[in-house]
Amino acid sequence: MSDTPAQTPAQTPAQTPAQTPAKTAFTPPSHTAPPARFSHGVRKGNILQVAGQVGFLPAVPGQPPTPAGPTLREQTLQTLANVEAVLKEGGASWEDVVMVRVYLTDTGHFAEFNEIYDEYLAGTAGLTGPPAARTTVYVGLPAGLLVEIDAMAVLD
């Protein structure tokens, strides 16, 4: 046996569990309330998920949602504006978007959609590079809708 006292590991202050950021769900004032239990956008920490948006015109109290028009161009421009409204409501912009998913009801719309999408994003002030994108054909959007878009943003 040694006369030296036993060494003990350095004592550290009690560690508190990391604070988990709150999850905040929201619907911009320009949007109708979702018909089921979902939100148009959810932010948790620096992640913002924009739920699938379609080409409905801004909400009018007491009236059902109305498509922007029958054409792919009208609906795509309104859908992109709706995505942008959710981004803004969550404290983000197109510059923060890292992923966009696009659902078209007709493969014949692919080229026209890309043209409209490129034009819209080219006109977005401050966009230094386009987000990653994936386009998928989807069948069965309601009420004559032709396109749906969702997005994920990461804020600094």
Side-chain angles (χ1 to χ4, degrees):
M1 290 233 144
S2 163
D3 291 336
T4 324
Q7 298 270 329
T8 59
Q11 298 294 316
T12 58
Q15 298 289 323
T16 58
Q19 293 286 329
T20 303
K23 181 170 82 171
T24 305
F26 53 88
T27 294
S30 60
H31 288 49
T32 58
R37 285 192 53 84
F38 70 89
S39 301
H40 287 286
V42 172
R43 181 168 174 179
K44 184 167 183 174
N46 67 337
I47 304 292
L48 171 63
Q49 178 65 50
V50 177
Q53 300 296 301
V54 293
F56 286 140
L57 293 169
V60 176
Q63 293 185 10
T66 305
T71 69
L72 181 66
R73 180 171 195 77
E74 292 167 310
Q75 289 188 26
T76 298
L77 290 173
Q78 185 63 53
T79 300
L80 289 164
N82 291 344
V83 169
E84 190 168 339
V86 177
L87 289 169
K88 284 181 182 176
E89 187 75 13
S93 71
W94 283 106
E95 184 63 31
D96 301 305
V97 174
V98 296
M99 173 60 88
V100 174
R101 285 179 290 258
V102 178
Y103 305 93
L104 300 171
T105 58
D106 185 339
T107 56
H109 291 154
F110 190 81
E112 182 183 1
F113 172 83
N114 282 340
E115 192 175 295
I116 298 163
Y117 177 83
D118 287 348
E119 177 185 304
Y120 186 89
L121 289 184
T124 302
L127 188 61
T128 57
R134 174 179 175 206
T135 303
T136 305
V137 175
Y138 176 81
V139 178
L141 289 173
L145 296 171
L146 304 172
V147 60
E148 179 177 339
I149 300 173
D150 69 55
M152 182 175 59
V154 178
L155 294 84
D156 294 329

